[in-house]
Amino acid sequence: MSRKGGRSIRFVVVTTNKGKAEEFREIFTRYGFKFRVEPMETPEIQSMDLREIARNSVLYAYSVLREPVLVEDAGLFIDSLKGFPGPFSSYVFKTLGIRGILKLMEGVKERRARFKSALAFYCPITDSVHMFTGEVEGWIAEKPRGEKGFGFDPIFVPAEGDGRTFGEMDVEEKNEFSHRARSAEKFAKWLSERLVEIPPPYE
Ligand code: IMP
């Protein structure tokens, strides 16, 4: 990284989700990383474990791109629905959507939920997948609020916030609390530490 003796590694963030890309961009730019976003579809295996899904996707992405590559998988886990939609969040968002989740939550007082993120980085130098996770606790709002963000953002209120949903926050604000920001910050710190040891041609 430039702040550490001018060294850097270029990596690719693989996602078709513009919201995710923007969140990563805000964090990785702050660290001075050299990266690009590749809007490539990766197959998602069925698993109850986000880490397994992310691991599988990053290996696929590397097999195509042959560069250091990062893939993230996330999900919304609602306590009163026994963790649903969890690893099925993408499918549930496309089918039931926000309205469907609110319908399932109608009259439910216990609205605790959390977002989880699993970020997988494949490094050709170590020839391994490095995994970083993040979580944010919160609750499901009674009604959607806000036009910002993506996915379930308009119905998720982070517990550490001021009562606004993620949908009412700018990227910078969401990145103060979010599951993705937490896994991305862990990755960024890890990479910053490692970069001093990385030899050319990754210099
Ligand atoms: P993915 O598989 O990581 O793309 O995420 C699965 C689904 O979870 C997405 O389609 C979104 O509906 C939802 N999701 C993941 N992360 C977030 C987030 O940060 N905000 C809102 N919804 C999210």
Side-chain angles (χ1 to χ4, degrees):
M1 194 176 86
S2 49
R3 281 185 297 172
K4 293 213 169 193
R7 292 193 173 202
S8 189
I9 183 172
R10 287 176 192 279
F11 61 92
V12 189
V13 176
V14 171
T15 180
T16 53
N17 181 325
K18 289 193 176 117
K20 270 192 193 186
E22 216 187 319
E23 291 171 24
F24 282 128
R25 211 170 256 129
E26 199 270 325
I27 295 165
F28 296 153
T29 305
R30 243 190 291 130
Y31 279 82
F33 291 160
K34 292 185 183 140
F35 65 96
R36 68 183 165 83
V37 175
E38 181 71 45
M40 183 178 96
E41 294 276 358
T42 55
E44 271 201 18
I45 57 158
Q46 277 199 4
S47 166
M48 293 305 286
D49 187 344
L50 296 180
R51 291 170 303 181
E52 276 305 302
I53 301 170
R55 179 185 298 278
N56 201 270
S57 297
V58 85
L59 289 173
Y60 172 84
Y62 177 69
S63 74
V64 175
L65 297 169
R66 296 276 156 196
E67 297 174 76
V69 60
L70 182 158
V71 173
E72 189 248 12
D73 199 70
L76 175 65
F77 296 72
I78 302 175
D79 284 6
S80 61
L81 302 180
K82 298 188 175 8
F84 184 82
F88 312 111
S89 293
S90 178
Y91 179 72
V92 169
F93 182 75
K94 280 185 223 142
T95 52
L96 299 180
I98 283 182
R99 297 267 155 217
I101 291 291
L102 288 181
K103 190 111 190 112
L104 290 174
M105 297 292 288
E106 241 168 40
V108 177
K109 291 224 161 50
E110 159 60 303
R111 305 185 77 85
R112 251 178 304 179
R114 65 197 47 77
F115 269 120
K116 293 187 192 179
S117 158
L119 184 157
F121 178 66
Y122 180 80
C123 177
I125 302 164
T126 58
D127 185 25
S128 47
V129 176
H130 301 271
M131 193 66 66
F132 305 87
T133 57
E135 283 192 31
V136 55
E137 298 281 332
W139 61 87
I140 301 299
E142 298 283 343
K143 288 181 187 157
R145 282 187 271 125
E147 314 268 291
K148 297 172 189 164
F150 66 92
F152 296 112
D153 277 345
I155 54 166
F156 186 82
V157 182
E160 296 150 78
D162 56 8
R164 282 177 300 154
T165 66
F166 273 161
E168 294 175 295
M169 296 183 188
D170 293 328
V171 173
E172 290 80 4
E173 289 178 292
K174 182 177 170 186
N175 275 350
E176 279 176 38
F177 313 106
S178 91
H179 51 311
R180 181 164 306 103
R182 285 176 178 155
S183 60
E185 289 278 354
K186 283 184 194 167
F187 161 72
K189 288 195 177 88
W190 173 85
L191 190 62
S192 304
E193 301 286 305
R194 310 278 318 241
L195 284 174
V196 285
E197 295 158 19
I198 294 173
Y202 297 100
E203 199 171 19

